[in-house]
Amino acid sequence: MNIIVVGLSHKTAPVEIREKIAFAPTAMERPLRQMVALPAISEGVIVSTCNRVELYATSRDIEAGVAQLKRFLSEYHSIPLDTLESHLYDHQGEEAIRHIFRVASSLESMVIGEPQILGQIKTAYGYAAEFKTAGLILNRFLHKAFSVAKRVRTETDIASNAVSVSFAAVELARKIFGSLEDKTVLLIGAGEMCELAARHFINNGVSSVLVTNRTLERAVKLAEEFNGRALPFDDFAHHLQQVDIILTSTGAPNFILSQKQVEEVIRIRRNKPMLLIDIAVPRDIDPRVNDIANVYLYDVDDLQGVVQANLKERHKEAKKAEGIIEQEIGQFYRWLGSLDIVPTIVSLRNKLEEIRRGELEKTFANFKDLGEREKKAIEALTSAIINKVLHQPTTVLKQAQNDGRRDGYVDAVRVLFDIHPTPPAGDIKDLDAHDDQE
Amino acid sequence: MTVNILLFKITLLLYFTATVLYLIDVIARHGKTGKAGRWVLIGGFVVHCATLVARYLEAGATPVANLHEALSFFAWAVVAIYLLFDLRYRLSVLGAFICPLALVLMIAGSAVPKEVQEASPMLDSWWFPVHVTLAFLGNAVFALAFVAGIMYLLQERMLKSKSFSALYFRLPSLEVLDSINYKCLSFGFPLMTMGIISGAIWANSAWGGYWRWDPKETWALLTWFLYAALLHGRLTVGWRGRRAAVFAIIGFLFLLFGFLGINLLLSNEHSFRALSGR
């Protein structure tokens, strides 16, 4: 049995295509049922987000499976396959496993390490489980993908540095102040980004918020929202010595904070550090303020720079994540192989045993004068022959489980002995006991 | 090779391993190696303790009589203080800075003559071990402040210039580094003061005079004033951050010079005979 993936993503398709191919989350039953009704497909899951649409399936016949899935996408959304084809990618076997592990771990996301994708795949799996289109293999496979994603998240720092400007400000503050708990934030002017950053600061422990604005009403309203205090605009400079973090985004044409002012404030604060975030364009704070000891001034471009550095760091962490994924692929691939191998061995043994029983009955019927002792000896003899004959093929099949010859051997045995095993869940317990430890 | 030298070499090897592990942790951000580094360092420290005991038994005196012993004892004090500190702060990135320092002291210690000196009657007084222990523990605490100061300057530079290297993501906050500076100062300064006082008492019992203004004593006093100025500045004028970090670095360089430089340049009761070949 093989896992295959057919789909498209922000890397291969523009939004005009992606929006046409997306599946509505409210009506997943019909496409899922249609998908597993395809002759070459046995199990199916559909992942549909704004950046990617992917079909996960299991199939015995890879080529037919991929072709049927592509046709299904084109017919379901009434888009000619010619248009669609160039945007679609497909993976099978080990490649498919790698791809899905990477997607779930957010290595394929537009912003590496973003946390939403895992939830989206979980939802997609939820539909498939609800409509029973995910069977033994996809059930197990997706649970594996979730645990791989979790491992990547906990063992690497792929998601630990801010990739939004507003949150980057909070992280900078942490780098300077350590804990934000007893810190005071002053909001000057009202801009969307400033408000967002203020909200992040409050969520991260800042206890006291001051708000000032040219229109006092506005300041009062915002202050209420943040559970803070409003200051008249002409007055805010007198409160600076108690402020640790300033967020400013006024429409003022000139600097509203000069180097001299800040120098004076730092002196009164006895050198307690200050973080000044100036999101306004034109800027609100004289850039020379950054030269004052214990003052850290960041404008919009600086924050962008922080975000870029963080993204670079995430890409480095992604390399570590790839190592983890490679480990897990090997493990899962072996399990998948055992699904074919163990039932094949069992069926082969059953088949020979059946022949032996039949022949014994015939023989015993013909020779009625055989005593119990002779009968026992003949039983033992025939069993021994079967065991000896089976020994070598069984060993080879078990060894082949770990390498590429697996499918060839399994197919050969099936054809040569005319057996049709169905993968039972019970026989494989011993092979996967080790990978559910969390 | 005597037992203490063998133990010394094992200690050196373990410190080297710990340094490598800590550095891998910081450079490749591989947390597990940092944890392994701590255990190796603890192991090295235990062997180091055994080294000192073996040396003491062999020499029959507190093993700080020549440069080899002094360097080894200094490294021991640095690791001891760091491990104590680590109990509270768990900053493996600090280990990546302190381990190389201990390692350098140990390598220097293995490069100088290691023979046990004939015990001088001067070292017989009980004040001698008290003096060296206090002085070296004080030095070790200031070594920690030195390392924290370097980390502070690196971090501050990156925050000011807005260009971030991989190290930025590993360093603790400026606030934590500055508080390490303050803590070290408030423990190190009393230790240093007591070290100087006990040294004076020992001097009096050894050659009948509390203070003789020899170069080492003069230098120690100078260093003491430097740290006194920093402590005063912190407590009254609100010196902190960059300035405190710079002071901690300069202070430690003064200490190092007092420890090594004076010995190499001049010779007197404080210097070690082994080095000058007498």
Side-chain angles (χ1 to χ4, degrees), chain A residues 155-225:
Chain A
E155 290 181 27
T156 74
D157 287 334
I158 195 159
S160 63
N161 296 306
V163 287
S164 73
V165 162
S166 49
F167 200 71
V170 175
E171 279 187 0
L172 277 173
R174 280 231 197 83
K175 269 285 176 195
I176 294 167
F177 301 109
S179 155
L180 300 181
E181 238 142 63
D182 49 352
K183 299 294 176 283
T184 300
V185 173
L186 168 64
L187 215 62
I188 307 177
E192 208 180 311
M193 214 193 279
C194 245
E195 283 183 41
L196 191 58
R199 239 174 273 279
H200 282 314
F201 272 112
I202 292 165
N203 290 338
N204 283 278
V206 160
S207 53
S208 131
V209 180
L210 303 176
V211 184
T212 184
N213 200 304
R214 281 202 200 277
T215 42
L216 187 61
E217 250 170 60
R218 188 84 222 260
V220 170
K221 218 175 127 233
L222 259 183
E224 258 169 39
E225 213 173 301

Side-chain angles (χ1 to χ4, degrees), chain A residues 64-349:
Chain A
V66 169
Q68 287 172 13
L69 287 179
K70 286 185 175 172
R71 207 168 321 120
F72 162 70
L73 268 181
S74 125
E75 280 167 10
Y76 189 88
H77 295 288
S78 325
I79 302 170
L81 192 54
D82 299 344
T83 329
L84 204 54
E85 185 81 56
S86 62
H87 301 292
L88 288 175
Y89 47 78
D90 57 271
H91 302 288
Q92 56 271 160
E94 201 179 310
E95 263 314 306
I97 298 172
R98 178 174 295 115
H99 177 79
I100 297 168
F101 282 179
R102 285 178 60 91
V103 170
S105 308
S106 195
L107 296 186
E108 294 282 334
S109 299
M110 205 181 259
V111 176
I112 283 193
E114 56 89 11
Q116 283 94 350
I117 184 68
L118 184 59
Q120 289 162 335
I121 298 181
K122 280 185 175 165
T123 312
Y125 169 69
Y127 291 125
E130 188 183 339
F131 304 120
K132 304 215 161 39
T133 62
L136 170 77
I137 295 178
L138 284 189
N139 273 331
R140 183 149 185 116
F141 175 53
L142 286 170
H143 279 120
K144 188 77 209 176
F146 302 152
S147 81
V148 170
K150 196 175 159 196
R151 238 191 103 187
V152 164
R153 197 151 283 267
T154 49
E155 290 181 27
T156 74
D157 287 334
I158 195 159
S160 63
N161 296 306
V163 287
S164 73
V165 162
S166 49
F167 200 71
V170 175
E171 279 187 0
L172 277 173
R174 280 231 197 83
K175 269 285 176 195
I176 294 167
F177 301 109
S179 155
L180 300 181
E181 238 142 63
D182 49 352
K183 299 294 176 283
T184 300
V185 173
L186 168 64
L187 215 62
I188 307 177
E192 208 180 311
M193 214 193 279
C194 245
E195 283 183 41
L196 191 58
R199 239 174 273 279
H200 282 314
F201 272 112
I202 292 165
N203 290 338
N204 283 278
V206 160
S207 53
S208 131
V209 180
L210 303 176
V211 184
T212 184
N213 200 304
R214 281 202 200 277
T215 42
L216 187 61
E217 250 170 60
R218 188 84 222 260
V220 170
K221 218 175 127 233
L222 259 183
E224 258 169 39
E225 213 173 301
F226 293 136
N227 212 357
R229 193 153 64 90
L231 302 173
F233 192 78
D234 299 327
D235 202 31
F236 83 84
H238 302 298
H239 295 81
L240 287 180
Q241 67 267 24
Q242 64 183 94
V243 173
D244 304 287
I245 300 153
I246 298 180
L247 298 167
T248 161
S249 65
T250 72
N254 302 317
F255 298 141
I256 58 167
L257 263 180
S258 71
Q259 188 183 12
K260 231 173 154 183
Q261 263 175 307
V262 178
E263 254 167 12
E264 178 63 16
V265 169
I266 278 292
R267 201 182 54 74
I268 299 169
R269 282 171 64 82
R270 304 215 328 174
N271 292 320
K272 259 165 61 188
M274 285 178 94
L275 172 61
L276 314 182
I277 308 258
D278 182 357
I279 315 182
V281 179
R283 289 176 291 183
D284 280 341
I285 304 175
D286 187 341
R288 283 175 302 173
V289 163
N290 194 47
D291 299 335
I292 304 169
N294 299 311
V295 178
Y296 304 89
L297 170 63
Y298 279 74
D299 62 27
V300 173
D301 284 3
D302 297 334
L303 289 176
Q304 263 329 329
V306 174
V307 167
Q308 287 309 319
N310 287 351
L311 274 174
K312 236 169 89 190
E313 202 55 25
R314 283 192 176 198
H315 281 275
K316 271 193 225 158
E317 289 301 303
K319 291 263 175 306
K320 257 192 256 173
E322 275 161 9
I324 293 174
I325 287 175
E326 287 309 313
Q327 262 176 19
E328 300 277 358
I329 289 173
Q331 231 183 58
F332 186 79
Y333 203 55
R334 276 199 292 285
W335 176 81
L336 195 61
S338 73
L339 281 187
D340 286 339
I341 292 215
V342 175
T344 303
I345 294 172
V346 171
S347 310
L348 183 58
R349 178 168 281 280

Side-chain angles (χ1 to χ4, degrees), chain B residues 5 8 55 65-71 107-117 272-278:
Chain B
I5 302 294
F8 178 85
R55 184 88 185 180
N66 65 16
L67 190 58
H68 163 74
E69 291 173 349
L71 283 164
I107 290 173
S110 74
V112 298
K114 293 188 262 302
E115 289 77 29
V116 173
Q117 303 285 301
F272 304 110
R273 282 167 298 169
L275 204 69
S276 47
R278 276 186 292 163

Side-chain angles (χ1 to χ4, degrees), chain B residues 113-133:
Chain B
K114 293 188 262 302
E115 289 77 29
V116 173
Q117 303 285 301
E118 225 175 282
S120 146
M122 213 173 73
L123 306 181
D124 243 5
S125 160
W126 271 108
W127 283 106
F128 174 63
V130 172
H131 164 61
V132 292
T133 306

Side-chain angles (χ1 to χ4, degrees), chain A residues 47-79:
Chain A
V47 174
S48 179
T49 75
C50 45
N51 282 332
R52 79 178 56 242
V53 174
E54 289 184 339
L55 309 178
Y56 304 159
T58 59
S59 168
R60 265 229 173 277
D61 184 345
I62 293 174
E63 248 172 73
V66 169
Q68 287 172 13
L69 287 179
K70 286 185 175 172
R71 207 168 321 120
F72 162 70
L73 268 181
S74 125
E75 280 167 10
Y76 189 88
H77 295 288
S78 325
I79 302 170

